[in-house]
Each structure stands twice: as C-alpha cells, then as structure tokens.
Amino acid sequence: MTEAAALPAPEPVRVGIVSISDRASSGAYEDRGLPALRDWLTRALLNPLDFEARLIADEQEQISAALTELADAGCALILTTGGTGPAPRDVTPEATLAVADKVMPGFGEQMRRIGQHFVPTAILSRQVAVVRGQSLIINLPGQPKAIAETLEGLRDEEGSTVVPGIFAAVPYCIDLIGGPYLETVDAVCKAFRPRSAIRHTR
C-alpha cells in the first residue's frame, strides 16, 4: 500500500447556509446569497459538503430558530448572509447572539477591516460570530462580491495576501470546538493551523 493510499480522505462536513431577506424570502426577487455561499465553499474546501440551506425573512425569532435547528442538526459551520446593517429590520446579529454559547469578536473586527478597503460604509456593518455547542456561526455581508472578499481577504497584484480573509481561521476554530477537520484549497483560501494541529490527508 502506498503512503498516499494509506492517508485518510477528507472528512464529510455538514454546513448550514442561511440567507436572510424579507424580499427574497417573499419571492420579490431572486436570492443570490445561498448560491454565492454554496459556490464559494465548494471552491474553497476539499471536504465533501452536505449543505443545509434556509431562506428566511428578517424576523429575529425565526432567524434564531433556524440557527438553533442547524446547530442541533450537526452543522459544524453555519454561515448567514444579510440583515447586519443598522436599518430597523436588520436583526441578524441580535438573533445570532441570542443563541450563542460564546462570542468570537475577532471575526467581526476582521470583516469590517476587510470591508473598509472597499467602502467607507463598512463601519456600519454589525456582523458577529459565535459558537453554539460544536457549531461556528458567522454573519457575512449580503452581496456575493462582498461575501467572497470577506472570506478570502485581499491580495496584491502578485497574488500575495495583504489582509487575511476570515476563513483562514475557520478550520482551526472548528478543530478547537470538536468539529470535523476542514481542508482548504490553498489557491482560494489557505487555512492556518499551528504545526502541531496539522493532519495529513489526501
């Protein structure tokens, strides 16, 4: 048996993706959040992915219920898009914090840092990230382009990282809370782990 054949394959991962929008959930326009999340994660991860998708209105109790359901169903990672601004109907952060066991403020700080490279109104975003049980829940921006920028970070013309994207820290965070071992496609977003935490798979 060769060394490559002896290495375990990447673990399957259940991922919750939640798009939060009054208009998209009512059918007023086509939702772009769920396709953007699914596309990016499929490109960025080597793991087989089982997506649990939800499209819901900007209702705090409904959002909290969906996040709780996805976490309890075994989603190691739950990403939301939409509802993080200052408008009256933007309640995604409140709904997320309501189901949290632990708050992870560094994710929100880095998301706003990335956004400010593109628009000064990034300081109006209120994205948060939390841990519930063995699930990491992260609020992302509402636009597909901003979703990719936030997850991947910024690179210069030579392709070197200028500002790290938040996803670089996601796999190790999930390791620490007892979730599956996420493996990234380096060309999209290279995960960072301490050397002692790196496993070798194929």
Side-chain angles (χ1 to χ4, degrees):
M1 181 180 293
T2 66
E3 182 179 353
L7 294 174
E11 296 180 61
V13 179
R14 179 172 289 183
V15 179
I17 52 175
V18 185
S19 185
I20 299 156
S21 166
D22 285 334
R23 289 182 292 171
S25 64
S26 69
Y29 67 75
E30 184 178 1
D31 172 66
R32 296 193 299 156
L34 293 175
L37 292 171
R38 189 181 284 109
D39 173 71
W40 192 89
L41 290 165
T42 301
R43 289 190 294 109
L45 288 169
L46 294 169
N47 305 72
L49 301 177
D50 177 17
F51 288 106
E52 293 281 348
R54 303 286 187 276
L55 174 58
I56 55 180
D58 291 280
E59 296 288 349
Q60 184 171 335
E61 290 185 4
Q62 188 176 350
I63 299 166
S64 290
L67 297 178
T68 299
E69 177 188 1
L70 292 169
D72 292 350
C75 291
L77 175 65
I78 303 168
L79 299 179
T80 74
T81 175
T84 60
R89 294 287 291 170
D90 290 333
V91 294
T92 302
E94 287 78 9
T96 303
L97 292 170
V99 303
D101 293 329
K102 295 181 179 178
V103 180
M104 306 295 292
F107 282 100
E109 294 164 4
Q110 185 67 3
M111 284 190 271
R112 284 178 281 278
R113 186 175 298 119
I114 294 168
Q116 284 181 293
H117 281 262
F118 297 97
V119 291
T121 52
I123 60 174
L124 302 179
S125 66
R126 302 187 301 116
Q127 292 105 316
V128 300
V130 306
V131 170
R132 177 183 174 86
Q134 291 183 304
S135 300
L136 174 62
I137 306 172
I138 305 174
N139 301 154
L140 292 171
Q143 297 301 315
K145 182 175 182 291
I147 289 171
E149 291 165 350
T150 299
L151 293 169
E152 292 181 29
L154 308 179
R155 301 185 186 188
D156 60 22
E157 294 180 356
E158 286 75 39
S160 299
T161 298
V162 177
V163 180
I166 64 162
F167 205 84
V170 166
Y172 186 50
C173 182
I174 291 177
D175 292 350
L176 293 173
I177 62 175
Y181 190 82
L182 270 62
E183 299 185 61
T184 56
V185 176
D186 290 355
V188 179
C189 182
K190 184 175 182 179
F192 176 83
R193 287 181 171 95
R195 186 171 298 177
S196 61
I198 295 174
R199 303 180 201 168
H200 294 288
T201 64
R202 54 182 174 166

